[in-house]
PDB file of all heavy atoms in Angstrom:
ATOM      1  N   GLY A   4     -18.801  -4.424  -2.713  1.00  0.00           N
ATOM      2  CA  GLY A   4     -18.310  -5.769  -2.974  1.00  0.00           C
ATOM      3  C   GLY A   4     -16.798  -5.805  -2.904  1.00  0.00           C
ATOM      4  O   GLY A   4     -16.106  -4.833  -3.232  1.00  0.00           O
ATOM      5  N   CYS A   5     -16.254  -6.897  -2.456  1.00  0.00           N
ATOM      6  CA  CYS A   5     -14.792  -7.066  -2.387  1.00  0.00           C
ATOM      7  C   CYS A   5     -14.491  -8.568  -2.461  1.00  0.00           C
ATOM      8  O   CYS A   5     -15.023  -9.363  -1.710  1.00  0.00           O
ATOM      9  CB  CYS A   5     -14.278  -6.474  -1.085  1.00  0.00           C
ATOM     10  SG  CYS A   5     -12.477  -6.651  -0.888  1.00  0.00           S
ATOM     11  N   ASN A   6     -13.573  -8.917  -3.374  1.00  0.00           N
ATOM     12  CA  ASN A   6     -13.169 -10.316  -3.534  1.00  0.00           C
ATOM     13  C   ASN A   6     -11.745 -10.562  -3.075  1.00  0.00           C
ATOM     14  O   ASN A   6     -11.181 -11.623  -3.358  1.00  0.00           O
ATOM     15  CB  ASN A   6     -13.317 -10.733  -4.995  1.00  0.00           C
ATOM     16  CG  ASN A   6     -14.753 -10.726  -5.479  1.00  0.00           C
ATOM     17  OD1 ASN A   6     -15.656 -11.143  -4.731  1.00  0.00           O
ATOM     18  ND2 ASN A   6     -14.994 -10.232  -6.680  1.00  0.00           N
ATOM     19  N   SER A   7     -11.162  -9.584  -2.371  1.00  0.00           N
ATOM     20  CA  SER A   7      -9.791  -9.731  -1.906  1.00  0.00           C
ATOM     21  C   SER A   7      -9.769 -10.230  -0.466  1.00  0.00           C
ATOM     22  O   SER A   7     -10.555  -9.768   0.363  1.00  0.00           O
ATOM     23  CB  SER A   7      -9.052  -8.368  -1.996  1.00  0.00           C
ATOM     24  OG  SER A   7      -8.939  -7.937  -3.316  1.00  0.00           O
ATOM     25  N   TYR A   8      -8.858 -11.151  -0.172  1.00  0.00           N
ATOM     26  CA  TYR A   8      -8.669 -11.692   1.147  1.00  0.00           C
ATOM     27  C   TYR A   8      -7.215 -11.521   1.552  1.00  0.00           C
ATOM     28  O   TYR A   8      -6.313 -11.768   0.732  1.00  0.00           O
ATOM     29  CB  TYR A   8      -9.052 -13.177   1.208  1.00  0.00           C
ATOM     30  CG  TYR A   8     -10.527 -13.406   0.902  1.00  0.00           C
ATOM     31  CD1 TYR A   8     -10.993 -13.447  -0.403  1.00  0.00           C
ATOM     32  CD2 TYR A   8     -11.447 -13.552   1.924  1.00  0.00           C
ATOM     33  CE1 TYR A   8     -12.349 -13.615  -0.704  1.00  0.00           C
ATOM     34  CE2 TYR A   8     -12.813 -13.742   1.659  1.00  0.00           C
ATOM     35  CZ  TYR A   8     -13.225 -13.777   0.343  1.00  0.00           C
ATOM     36  OH  TYR A   8     -14.551 -13.960   0.074  1.00  0.00           O
ATOM     37  N   ALA A   9      -6.954 -11.064   2.753  1.00  0.00           N
ATOM     38  CA  ALA A   9      -5.590 -10.773   3.134  1.00  0.00           C
ATOM     39  C   ALA A   9      -5.417 -10.886   4.649  1.00  0.00           C
ATOM     40  O   ALA A   9      -6.374 -11.039   5.402  1.00  0.00           O
ATOM     41  CB  ALA A   9      -5.219  -9.363   2.666  1.00  0.00           C
ATOM     42  N   ALA A  10      -4.166 -10.766   5.074  1.00  0.00           N
ATOM     43  CA  ALA A  10      -3.843 -10.648   6.485  1.00  0.00           C
ATOM     44  C   ALA A  10      -3.930  -9.180   6.883  1.00  0.00           C
ATOM     45  O   ALA A  10      -3.955  -8.298   6.039  1.00  0.00           O
ATOM     46  CB  ALA A  10      -2.440 -11.192   6.758  1.00  0.00           C
ATOM     47  N   TRP A  11      -3.978  -8.931   8.161  1.00  0.00           N
ATOM     48  CA  TRP A  11      -4.095  -7.555   8.652  1.00  0.00           C
ATOM     49  C   TRP A  11      -2.955  -6.667   8.171  1.00  0.00           C
ATOM     50  O   TRP A  11      -3.140  -5.460   7.991  1.00  0.00           O
ATOM     51  CB  TRP A  11      -4.173  -7.538  10.172  1.00  0.00           C
ATOM     52  CG  TRP A  11      -5.505  -7.922  10.731  1.00  0.00           C
ATOM     53  CD1 TRP A  11      -5.926  -9.163  11.122  1.00  0.00           C
ATOM     54  CD2 TRP A  11      -6.644  -7.040  10.979  1.00  0.00           C
ATOM     55  NE1 TRP A  11      -7.213  -9.138  11.586  1.00  0.00           N
ATOM     56  CE2 TRP A  11      -7.686  -7.848  11.512  1.00  0.00           C
ATOM     57  CE3 TRP A  11      -6.855  -5.693  10.782  1.00  0.00           C
ATOM     58  CZ2 TRP A  11      -8.935  -7.312  11.876  1.00  0.00           C
ATOM     59  CZ3 TRP A  11      -8.082  -5.149  11.150  1.00  0.00           C
ATOM     60  CH2 TRP A  11      -9.111  -5.939  11.676  1.00  0.00           C
ATOM     61  N   ASN A  12      -1.773  -7.208   8.016  1.00  0.00           N
ATOM     62  CA  ASN A  12      -0.623  -6.360   7.602  1.00  0.00           C
ATOM     63  C   ASN A  12      -0.751  -5.861   6.180  1.00  0.00           C
ATOM     64  O   ASN A  12       0.067  -5.042   5.720  1.00  0.00           O
ATOM     65  CB  ASN A  12       0.706  -7.097   7.827  1.00  0.00           C
ATOM     66  CG  ASN A  12       0.895  -8.275   6.880  1.00  0.00           C
ATOM     67  OD1 ASN A  12      -0.026  -8.681   6.182  1.00  0.00           O
ATOM     68  ND2 ASN A  12       2.093  -8.813   6.879  1.00  0.00           N
ATOM     69  N   PHE A  13      -1.732  -6.348   5.420  1.00  0.00           N
ATOM     70  CA  PHE A  13      -2.019  -5.842   4.077  1.00  0.00           C
ATOM     71  C   PHE A  13      -2.114  -4.324   4.087  1.00  0.00           C
ATOM     72  O   PHE A  13      -1.592  -3.620   3.218  1.00  0.00           O
ATOM     73  CB  PHE A  13      -3.310  -6.457   3.573  1.00  0.00           C
ATOM     74  CG  PHE A  13      -3.887  -5.826   2.321  1.00  0.00           C
ATOM     75  CD1 PHE A  13      -3.568  -6.319   1.057  1.00  0.00           C
ATOM     76  CD2 PHE A  13      -4.785  -4.756   2.407  1.00  0.00           C
ATOM     77  CE1 PHE A  13      -4.109  -5.756  -0.083  1.00  0.00           C
ATOM     78  CE2 PHE A  13      -5.344  -4.185   1.267  1.00  0.00           C
ATOM     79  CZ  PHE A  13      -5.005  -4.683   0.034  1.00  0.00           C
ATOM     80  N   PHE A  14      -2.767  -3.785   5.111  1.00  0.00           N
ATOM     81  CA  PHE A  14      -3.016  -2.336   5.174  1.00  0.00           C
ATOM     82  C   PHE A  14      -1.747  -1.558   5.474  1.00  0.00           C
ATOM     83  O   PHE A  14      -1.495  -0.504   4.895  1.00  0.00           O
ATOM     84  CB  PHE A  14      -4.134  -2.046   6.187  1.00  0.00           C
ATOM     85  CG  PHE A  14      -5.352  -2.902   5.942  1.00  0.00           C
ATOM     86  CD1 PHE A  14      -5.609  -4.011   6.733  1.00  0.00           C
ATOM     87  CD2 PHE A  14      -6.182  -2.630   4.890  1.00  0.00           C
ATOM     88  CE1 PHE A  14      -6.703  -4.835   6.457  1.00  0.00           C
ATOM     89  CE2 PHE A  14      -7.307  -3.440   4.623  1.00  0.00           C
ATOM     90  CZ  PHE A  14      -7.560  -4.547   5.414  1.00  0.00           C
ATOM     91  N   GLN A  15      -0.904  -2.097   6.345  1.00  0.00           N
ATOM     92  CA  GLN A  15       0.376  -1.452   6.643  1.00  0.00           C
ATOM     93  C   GLN A  15       1.252  -1.395   5.382  1.00  0.00           C
ATOM     94  O   GLN A  15       1.856  -0.363   5.103  1.00  0.00           O
ATOM     95  CB  GLN A  15       1.100  -2.213   7.738  1.00  0.00           C
ATOM     96  CG  GLN A  15       0.420  -2.179   9.097  1.00  0.00           C
ATOM     97  CD  GLN A  15       1.010  -3.189  10.047  1.00  0.00           C
ATOM     98  OE1 GLN A  15       0.812  -4.390   9.885  1.00  0.00           O
ATOM     99  NE2 GLN A  15       1.713  -2.706  11.056  1.00  0.00           N
ATOM    100  N   VAL A  16       1.302  -2.490   4.666  1.00  0.00           N
ATOM    101  CA  VAL A  16       2.166  -2.566   3.497  1.00  0.00           C
ATOM    102  C   VAL A  16       1.693  -1.601   2.399  1.00  0.00           C
ATOM    103  O   VAL A  16       2.501  -0.820   1.832  1.00  0.00           O
ATOM    104  CB  VAL A  16       2.174  -4.012   2.934  1.00  0.00           C
ATOM    105  CG1 VAL A  16       2.846  -4.044   1.557  1.00  0.00           C
ATOM    106  CG2 VAL A  16       2.879  -4.930   3.904  1.00  0.00           C
ATOM    107  N   HIS A  17       0.414  -1.588   2.118  1.00  0.00           N
ATOM    108  CA  HIS A  17      -0.064  -0.843   0.939  1.00  0.00           C
ATOM    109  C   HIS A  17      -0.265   0.643   1.231  1.00  0.00           C
ATOM    110  O   HIS A  17      -0.185   1.465   0.291  1.00  0.00           O
ATOM    111  CB  HIS A  17      -1.331  -1.512   0.390  1.00  0.00           C
ATOM    112  CG  HIS A  17      -1.041  -2.778  -0.291  1.00  0.00           C
ATOM    113  ND1 HIS A  17      -0.389  -2.868  -1.488  1.00  0.00           N
ATOM    114  CD2 HIS A  17      -1.273  -4.078   0.102  1.00  0.00           C
ATOM    115  CE1 HIS A  17      -0.268  -4.127  -1.835  1.00  0.00           C
ATOM    116  NE2 HIS A  17      -0.785  -4.884  -0.865  1.00  0.00           N
ATOM    117  N   ILE A  18      -0.519   1.023   2.458  1.00  0.00           N
ATOM    118  CA  ILE A  18      -0.598   2.460   2.750  1.00  0.00           C
ATOM    119  C   ILE A  18       0.766   3.115   2.477  1.00  0.00           C
ATOM    120  O   ILE A  18       0.852   4.169   1.830  1.00  0.00           O
ATOM    121  CB  ILE A  18      -1.043   2.690   4.212  1.00  0.00           C
ATOM    122  CG1 ILE A  18      -2.521   2.369   4.368  1.00  0.00           C
ATOM    123  CG2 ILE A  18      -0.748   4.114   4.646  1.00  0.00           C
ATOM    124  CD1 ILE A  18      -3.028   2.404   5.799  1.00  0.00           C
ATOM    125  N   LEU A  19       1.828   2.490   2.982  1.00  0.00           N
ATOM    126  CA  LEU A  19       3.162   3.043   2.760  1.00  0.00           C
ATOM    127  C   LEU A  19       3.582   2.925   1.310  1.00  0.00           C
ATOM    128  O   LEU A  19       4.181   3.862   0.748  1.00  0.00           O
ATOM    129  CB  LEU A  19       4.173   2.352   3.679  1.00  0.00           C
ATOM    130  CG  LEU A  19       5.625   2.873   3.568  1.00  0.00           C
ATOM    131  CD1 LEU A  19       5.680   4.377   3.878  1.00  0.00           C
ATOM    132  CD2 LEU A  19       6.533   2.104   4.541  1.00  0.00           C
ATOM    133  N   ALA A  20       3.278   1.787   0.685  1.00  0.00           N
ATOM    134  CA  ALA A  20       3.659   1.602  -0.717  1.00  0.00           C
ATOM    135  C   ALA A  20       3.009   2.641  -1.600  1.00  0.00           C
ATOM    136  O   ALA A  20       3.636   3.171  -2.541  1.00  0.00           O
ATOM    137  CB  ALA A  20       3.291   0.189  -1.180  1.00  0.00           C
ATOM    138  N   GLN A  21       1.731   2.951  -1.339  1.00  0.00           N
ATOM    139  CA  GLN A  21       1.053   3.948  -2.149  1.00  0.00           C
ATOM    140  C   GLN A  21       1.618   5.353  -1.918  1.00  0.00           C
ATOM    141  O   GLN A  21       1.792   6.137  -2.881  1.00  0.00           O
ATOM    142  CB  GLN A  21      -0.460   3.932  -1.856  1.00  0.00           C
ATOM    143  CG  GLN A  21      -1.263   4.836  -2.769  1.00  0.00           C
ATOM    144  CD  GLN A  21      -1.153   4.441  -4.219  1.00  0.00           C
ATOM    145  OE1 GLN A  21      -1.363   3.283  -4.578  1.00  0.00           O
ATOM    146  NE2 GLN A  21      -0.798   5.418  -5.084  1.00  0.00           N
ATOM    147  N   TRP A  22       1.911   5.663  -0.668  1.00  0.00           N
ATOM    148  CA  TRP A  22       2.489   6.981  -0.374  1.00  0.00           C
ATOM    149  C   TRP A  22       3.824   7.136  -1.072  1.00  0.00           C
ATOM    150  O   TRP A  22       4.105   8.185  -1.679  1.00  0.00           O
ATOM    151  CB  TRP A  22       2.676   7.162   1.138  1.00  0.00           C
ATOM    152  CG  TRP A  22       3.104   8.562   1.496  1.00  0.00           C
ATOM    153  CD1 TRP A  22       2.287   9.613   1.810  1.00  0.00           C
ATOM    154  CD2 TRP A  22       4.459   9.033   1.560  1.00  0.00           C
ATOM    155  NE1 TRP A  22       3.047  10.729   2.067  1.00  0.00           N
ATOM    156  CE2 TRP A  22       4.388  10.425   1.907  1.00  0.00           C
ATOM    157  CE3 TRP A  22       5.697   8.470   1.346  1.00  0.00           C
ATOM    158  CZ2 TRP A  22       5.516  11.213   2.041  1.00  0.00           C
ATOM    159  CZ3 TRP A  22       6.836   9.263   1.482  1.00  0.00           C
ATOM    160  CH2 TRP A  22       6.755  10.610   1.837  1.00  0.00           C
ATOM    161  N   ARG A  23       4.661   6.135  -1.030  1.00  0.00           N
ATOM    162  CA  ARG A  23       5.965   6.201  -1.681  1.00  0.00           C
ATOM    163  C   ARG A  23       5.836   6.275  -3.194  1.00  0.00           C
ATOM    164  O   ARG A  23       6.589   6.959  -3.862  1.00  0.00           O
ATOM    165  CB  ARG A  23       6.833   5.006  -1.281  1.00  0.00           C
ATOM    166  CG  ARG A  23       7.207   4.956   0.193  1.00  0.00           C
ATOM    167  CD  ARG A  23       8.420   4.076   0.396  1.00  0.00           C
ATOM    168  NE  ARG A  23       9.592   4.637  -0.265  1.00  0.00           N
ATOM    169  CZ  ARG A  23      10.556   3.907  -0.822  1.00  0.00           C
ATOM    170  NH1 ARG A  23      10.483   2.575  -0.837  1.00  0.00           N
ATOM    171  NH2 ARG A  23      11.588   4.503  -1.409  1.00  0.00           N
ATOM    172  N   TRP A  24       4.839   5.567  -3.731  1.00  0.00           N
ATOM    173  CA  TRP A  24       4.587   5.623  -5.190  1.00  0.00           C
ATOM    174  C   TRP A  24       4.244   7.045  -5.624  1.00  0.00           C
ATOM    175  O   TRP A  24       4.670   7.497  -6.675  1.00  0.00           O
ATOM    176  CB  TRP A  24       3.475   4.663  -5.538  1.00  0.00           C
ATOM    177  CG  TRP A  24       3.220   4.476  -6.991  1.00  0.00           C
ATOM    178  CD1 TRP A  24       2.259   5.058  -7.770  1.00  0.00           C
ATOM    179  CD2 TRP A  24       3.889   3.576  -7.897  1.00  0.00           C
ATOM    180  NE1 TRP A  24       2.289   4.611  -9.045  1.00  0.00           N
ATOM    181  CE2 TRP A  24       3.289   3.681  -9.158  1.00  0.00           C
ATOM    182  CE3 TRP A  24       4.961   2.675  -7.717  1.00  0.00           C
ATOM    183  CZ2 TRP A  24       3.724   2.927 -10.241  1.00  0.00           C
ATOM    184  CZ3 TRP A  24       5.389   1.937  -8.805  1.00  0.00           C
ATOM    185  CH2 TRP A  24       4.787   2.049 -10.057  1.00  0.00           C
ATOM    186  N   ASP A  25       3.495   7.722  -4.787  1.00  0.00           N
ATOM    187  CA  ASP A  25       3.050   9.084  -5.096  1.00  0.00           C
ATOM    188  C   ASP A  25       4.123  10.126  -4.835  1.00  0.00           C
ATOM    189  O   ASP A  25       4.195  11.150  -5.542  1.00  0.00           O
ATOM    190  CB  ASP A  25       1.803   9.446  -4.259  1.00  0.00           C
ATOM    191  CG  ASP A  25       0.602   8.607  -4.619  1.00  0.00           C
ATOM    192  OD1 ASP A  25       0.536   8.098  -5.743  1.00  0.00           O
ATOM    193  OD2 ASP A  25      -0.291   8.438  -3.754  1.00  0.00           O
ATOM    194  N   HIS A  26       4.976   9.909  -3.808  1.00  0.00           N
ATOM    195  CA  HIS A  26       5.905  10.964  -3.374  1.00  0.00           C
ATOM    196  C   HIS A  26       7.387  10.637  -3.593  1.00  0.00           C
ATOM    197  O   HIS A  26       8.229  11.549  -3.565  1.00  0.00           O
ATOM    198  CB  HIS A  26       5.680  11.269  -1.888  1.00  0.00           C
ATOM    199  CG  HIS A  26       4.325  11.779  -1.574  1.00  0.00           C
ATOM    200  ND1 HIS A  26       3.275  10.939  -1.283  1.00  0.00           N
ATOM    201  CD2 HIS A  26       3.828  13.033  -1.529  1.00  0.00           C
ATOM    202  CE1 HIS A  26       2.187  11.673  -1.022  1.00  0.00           C
ATOM    203  NE2 HIS A  26       2.486  12.949  -1.180  1.00  0.00           N
ATOM    204  N   GLU A  27       7.730   9.390  -3.787  1.00  0.00           N
ATOM    205  CA  GLU A  27       9.122   8.962  -3.991  1.00  0.00           C
ATOM    206  C   GLU A  27       9.218   7.996  -5.170  1.00  0.00           C
ATOM    207  O   GLU A  27       9.872   6.965  -5.117  1.00  0.00           O
ATOM    208  CB  GLU A  27       9.656   8.325  -2.712  1.00  0.00           C
ATOM    209  CG  GLU A  27       9.612   9.195  -1.487  1.00  0.00           C
ATOM    210  CD  GLU A  27      10.036   8.478  -0.214  1.00  0.00           C
ATOM    211  OE1 GLU A  27      10.177   7.222  -0.256  1.00  0.00           O
ATOM    212  OE2 GLU A  27      10.250   9.134   0.810  1.00  0.00           O
ATOM    213  N   HIS A  28       8.541   8.358  -6.231  1.00  0.00           N
ATOM    214  CA  HIS A  28       8.372   7.436  -7.367  1.00  0.00           C
ATOM    215  C   HIS A  28       9.697   6.991  -7.974  1.00  0.00           C
ATOM    216  O   HIS A  28       9.897   5.786  -8.259  1.00  0.00           O
ATOM    217  CB  HIS A  28       7.488   8.068  -8.455  1.00  0.00           C
ATOM    218  CG  HIS A  28       7.041   7.102  -9.490  1.00  0.00           C
ATOM    219  ND1 HIS A  28       6.066   6.152  -9.263  1.00  0.00           N
ATOM    220  CD2 HIS A  28       7.460   6.907 -10.787  1.00  0.00           C
ATOM    221  CE1 HIS A  28       5.888   5.441 -10.362  1.00  0.00           C
ATOM    222  NE2 HIS A  28       6.721   5.866 -11.293  1.00  0.00           N
ATOM    223  N   GLU A  29      10.610   7.925  -8.200  1.00  0.00           N
ATOM    224  CA  GLU A  29      11.883   7.568  -8.814  1.00  0.00           C
ATOM    225  C   GLU A  29      12.683   6.610  -7.940  1.00  0.00           C
ATOM    226  O   GLU A  29      13.306   5.646  -8.439  1.00  0.00           O
ATOM    227  CB  GLU A  29      12.716   8.822  -9.111  1.00  0.00           C
ATOM    228  CG  GLU A  29      12.122   9.671 -10.256  1.00  0.00           C
ATOM    229  CD  GLU A  29      13.036  10.832 -10.601  1.00  0.00           C
ATOM    230  OE1 GLU A  29      14.177  10.889 -10.067  1.00  0.00           O
ATOM    231  OE2 GLU A  29      12.617  11.684 -11.423  1.00  0.00           O
ATOM    232  N   ALA A  30      12.670   6.870  -6.638  1.00  0.00           N
ATOM    233  CA  ALA A  30      13.399   5.991  -5.703  1.00  0.00           C
ATOM    234  C   ALA A  30      12.763   4.589  -5.705  1.00  0.00           C
ATOM    235  O   ALA A  30      13.477   3.565  -5.692  1.00  0.00           O
ATOM    236  CB  ALA A  30      13.383   6.575  -4.312  1.00  0.00           C
TER     237      ALA A  30
END
């Protein structure tokens, strides 16, 4: 199940955001 709706660029934004959260958290 999924109740989220987004544009295709959702995936580009959040893949990088999650990587940076995990590896560049202080920055």
Side-chain angles (χ1 to χ4, degrees):
C5 179
N6 295 319
S7 296
Y8 296 82
W11 282 94
N12 68 350
F13 168 92
F14 308 102
Q15 293 167 290
V16 170
H17 288 290
I18 286 174
L19 181 57
Q21 186 61 51
W22 187 92
R23 294 200 65 214
W24 187 261
D25 294 335
H26 298 89
E27 301 175 349
H28 191 73
E29 290 186 8

